Amino acid sequence: MKTTTIIFDVDDTLYDVGTGFTAHRNTDGATSFMVDKLHFPNKEEAQVLRNEYFLKYHSTAKGLTVAEAEGKLPPLPANVTLPPGRTRRFDPEDLDEYWANNLNFPLLGGPDPKCIETFNEMNNKSLNIVGFSNGPRKYVTRVLKEIGLDSFFPPERLFAVNDVLPYCKPDPGSFQFVLDKVGVAPEECIM
């Protein structure tokens, strides 16, 4: 069968992990959110829980979703209540917004002209270019913009953890969701 589609992971694939951005996101980015929004007492305790669940689920959003379901988040302070109509403390959309607005994106180093040239060549070959990340959507969109690849991943061909929850990579259900939405068979794809 002919290859029609290339599915790219975003984090650590479309930019150099050596920039320090991944380490920043997985430490200060995650723990600052957990202290500021989930009321962890400090970054150290937040990091321990984040690491425990990230090892199991490969996604901060999925890990925090499960951690809340298992009662692992700290109690809300007495003066804090959930917004009206909300039953869960952790919402992946909150993490998405926080990361999109607070991470140190200049660490990514900006667009890579050789990478952009390669994507233009793939576009000229009429390949479907798809992005699939265990990160949340606004964050992933911001990463792609910062590295100059956003024009290659229109919304209908960009998938984030918020799209596939309760699954995330490497769960087969997450891949099936993406394949169904793009309308391709696994045999047509390279990831």
Side-chain angles (χ1 to χ4, degrees), residues 68 82-83 85-89:
E68 179 174 23
L82 291 176
R86 192 151 149 187
T87 58
R88 297 175 310 174
R89 290 183 50 206

Side-chain angles (χ1 to χ4, degrees), residues 3-186:
T3 298
T4 63
T5 304
I6 301 176
I7 302 173
F8 287 92
D9 191 354
V10 175
D11 290 315
D12 308 336
T13 302
L14 295 180
Y15 62 82
D16 181 358
V17 70
T19 66
F21 181 76
T22 297
H24 160 67
R25 182 194 66 238
N26 288 341
T27 57
D28 192 53
T31 60
S32 292
F33 169 81
M34 294 167 73
V35 169
D36 294 349
K37 301 297 183 180
L38 298 177
H39 306 283
F40 275 74
N42 56 60
K43 288 184 176 184
E44 293 76 20
E45 288 183 40
Q47 191 71 58
V48 169
L49 183 115
R50 188 253 172 216
N51 289 350
E52 175 187 345
Y53 282 85
F54 191 84
L55 283 172
K56 291 180 191 175
Y57 299 107
H58 313 285
S59 166
T60 300
K62 169 82 180 218
L64 290 174
T65 299
V66 174
E68 179 174 23
E70 293 179 353
K72 300 291 185 174
L73 300 185
L76 278 176
N79 62 338
V80 176
T81 59
L82 291 176
R86 192 151 149 187
T87 58
R88 297 175 310 174
R89 290 183 50 206
F90 174 70
D91 184 331
E93 302 300 323
D94 294 341
L95 177 66
D96 196 6
E97 193 71 35
Y98 191 91
W99 278 2
N101 292 315
N102 293 288
L103 290 181
N104 187 0
F105 289 97
L107 286 172
L108 290 167
D112 176 347
K114 288 181 181 178
C115 188
I116 293 169
E117 180 182 329
T118 300
F119 271 82
N120 279 320
E121 290 173 13
M122 286 186 288
N123 252 1
N124 292 337
K125 295 181 191 247
S126 300
L127 289 167
N128 288 320
I129 299 173
V130 176
F132 184 23
S133 175
N134 270 346
R137 179 172 284 277
K138 287 180 189 172
Y139 153 79
V140 171
T141 302
R142 174 85 188 266
V143 167
L144 291 170
K145 182 175 181 168
E146 293 287 333
I147 61 175
L149 297 178
D150 53 316
S151 65
F152 297 103
F153 296 95
E156 68 275 7
R157 290 197 323 249
L158 181 61
F159 300 90
V161 72
N162 346 28
D163 300 315
V164 299
L165 281 173
Y167 304 109
C168 69
K169 295 183 295 167
D171 295 325
S174 68
F175 290 103
Q176 192 59 57
F177 178 89
V178 170
L179 294 173
D180 290 347
K181 287 289 186 179
V182 175
V184 295

